[in-house]
Amino acid sequence: MIGSNVNIKSDQRYHQIRMVLIYVLVANLAVSLGKGVVGWSAGSIGMVADAFHSLMDGSSNIIGLIGISLAAKPRDDSHSYGHAKFETFASMGIVVLLLLTAFQIGESVYGRFTSDNPVVPETGLLPFAVMLVTIVVNIGVTLYERRQGKRLSSVFLVADSRHTLSDVYVSISVIASLIAVRLGYPVLDALAGGFIAIMIAYAAYGIMKEASVVLLDRAVLDPRQVEEVCLSGGQPEIIGCHKIRTRGSEAGYWIDLHLLVDPDLTTRRSHDLASHVERRLKERYGEQTDVIIHIEPGR
């Protein structure tokens, strides 16, 4: 499960997610600018590639802001289930940007290896200092975004925090490549760029895999746990439940089930029992949970 605070009101939740994305966007743009300027002046393909990686982090934040704004819209006649999936669609936009970035970096690496006069990067103190500072910033951004993502039950924020964490590993590889250049092995700078391209592609795969859970409506809750909630309310007229189906994410679950009750109950009493089960499911899985219950005779 992503988080535990699933009872935040929808409008408050989306507002808080937007503010997190704005803070992270500012940090990513600052980090990208620093690495890009210093990497370009030093001729380091690894630093420039890392700068593009950070720039894609910023681009993903912008996509996220657009997606969150669309997801925050209330239900309407054309979208009776709401607009929550726009948040997940936004994460797929990140995948496209990441793959394009990986391809562009790969082209630069290929050009470095095939060039007759390859550029030897400069390895003064400034590139090392910039990379160390950006690593500290990215670690702080990752921890903050992941914590907020879990608190707000945001698939997008959690996915984006993993993306930012990959930037930390990438930056460490760039520092290693700069050390190698100082020791007389400039080819390792290009190899670091290739490693970064692979890391970016892998991050894209991870985000796409998680987004598919929501987009393809994969089951997200254990049916046995849902059944336990239904039967644990101390209502002897409830005999059992079956045909449990679930989808969505912690931002909002959809639960469909068939409730087996005493066949001699009145329609009003059966309805009261269904309402009782619905309340218990919302208490367990959050107020945003949408519950549909079909009543069946249990014997």
Side-chain angles (χ1 to χ4, degrees):
M1 298 178 71
I2 291 177
S4 58
N5 195 352
V6 291
N7 290 319
I8 299 175
K9 290 184 178 180
S10 180
D11 55 345
Q12 294 178 348
R13 172 181 176 272
Y14 285 123
H15 172 73
Q16 292 178 38
I17 292 175
R18 279 194 290 267
M19 295 308 299
V20 171
L21 287 173
I22 290 173
Y23 298 148
V24 174
L25 172 62
V26 172
N28 283 330
L29 292 179
V31 165
S32 176
L33 180 63
K35 287 187 287 193
V37 171
V38 175
W40 183 269
S41 62
S44 171
I45 191 173
M47 284 193 71
V48 173
D50 197 10
F52 273 112
H53 190 196
S54 297
L55 184 61
M56 289 304 100
D57 285 341
S59 300
S60 71
N61 299 145
I62 295 174
I63 291 175
L65 285 169
I66 296 173
I68 292 300
S69 297
L70 294 173
K73 290 183 175 182
R75 300 181 183 187
D76 54 38
D77 293 338
S78 300
H79 302 85
S80 56
Y81 290 101
H83 300 78
K85 281 190 177 181
F86 276 110
E87 182 178 351
T88 308
F89 274 117
S91 66
M92 294 301 292
I94 297 177
V95 171
V96 174
L97 287 176
L98 288 176
L99 292 177
L100 287 174
T101 304
F103 178 76
Q104 291 172 349
I105 294 173
E107 279 191 325
S108 298
V109 172
Y110 178 77
R112 174 68 64 86
F113 279 119
T114 57
S115 174
D116 294 332
N117 297 300
V119 177
V120 178
E122 298 178 10
T123 56
L125 292 178
L126 183 58
F128 284 101
V130 169
M131 293 308 301
L132 287 174
V133 170
T134 58
I135 286 175
V136 172
V137 172
N138 281 329
I139 290 175
V141 169
T142 297
L143 295 175
Y144 169 72
E145 192 171 18
R146 179 185 297 170
R147 182 171 61 250
Q148 295 300 317
K150 290 182 177 180
R151 184 178 70 86
L152 298 170
S153 301
S154 171
V155 174
F156 182 89
L157 288 182
V158 172
D160 198 45
S161 71
R162 287 206 299 267
H163 180 196
T164 305
L165 181 61
S166 71
D167 204 16
V168 174
Y169 299 131
V170 167
S171 296
I172 292 173
S173 74
V174 171
I175 291 179
S177 73
L178 292 175
I179 294 174
V181 171
R182 289 191 71 126
L183 295 175
Y185 301 97
V187 69
L188 292 183
D189 179 58
L191 289 177
F195 171 73
I196 292 171
I198 294 173
M199 288 291 294
I200 292 174
Y202 183 74
Y205 168 76
I207 295 172
M208 182 171 60
K209 183 178 179 181
E210 182 160 332
S212 68
V213 173
V214 177
L215 296 179
L216 299 179
D217 289 333
R218 198 178 77 185
V220 292
L221 299 175
D222 186 345
R224 290 172 297 181
Q225 292 182 356
V226 175
E227 181 179 8
E228 182 179 337
V229 173
C230 294
L231 301 180
S232 62
Q235 301 293 331
E237 297 113 322
I238 299 178
I239 298 172
C241 65
H242 64 169
K243 296 182 179 180
I244 298 171
R245 299 186 300 171
T246 63
R247 62 184 179 90
S249 68
E250 289 199 5
Y253 294 118
W254 279 264
I255 303 175
D256 301 337
L257 60 86
H258 289 211
L259 192 66
L260 305 176
V261 302
D262 187 327
D264 296 327
L265 295 180
T266 63
T267 302
R268 181 181 296 278
R269 179 56 183 161
S270 297
H271 179 270
D272 290 342
L273 290 174
S275 298
H276 169 78
V277 170
E278 180 180 3
R279 284 196 303 272
R280 290 192 59 80
L281 289 171
K282 286 179 177 289
E283 289 171 358
R284 174 64 178 82
Y285 297 112
E287 288 299 320
Q288 301 301 321
T289 303
D290 192 300
V291 182
I292 297 178
I293 298 176
H294 176 74
I295 297 293
E296 288 186 5
R299 300 188 186 92

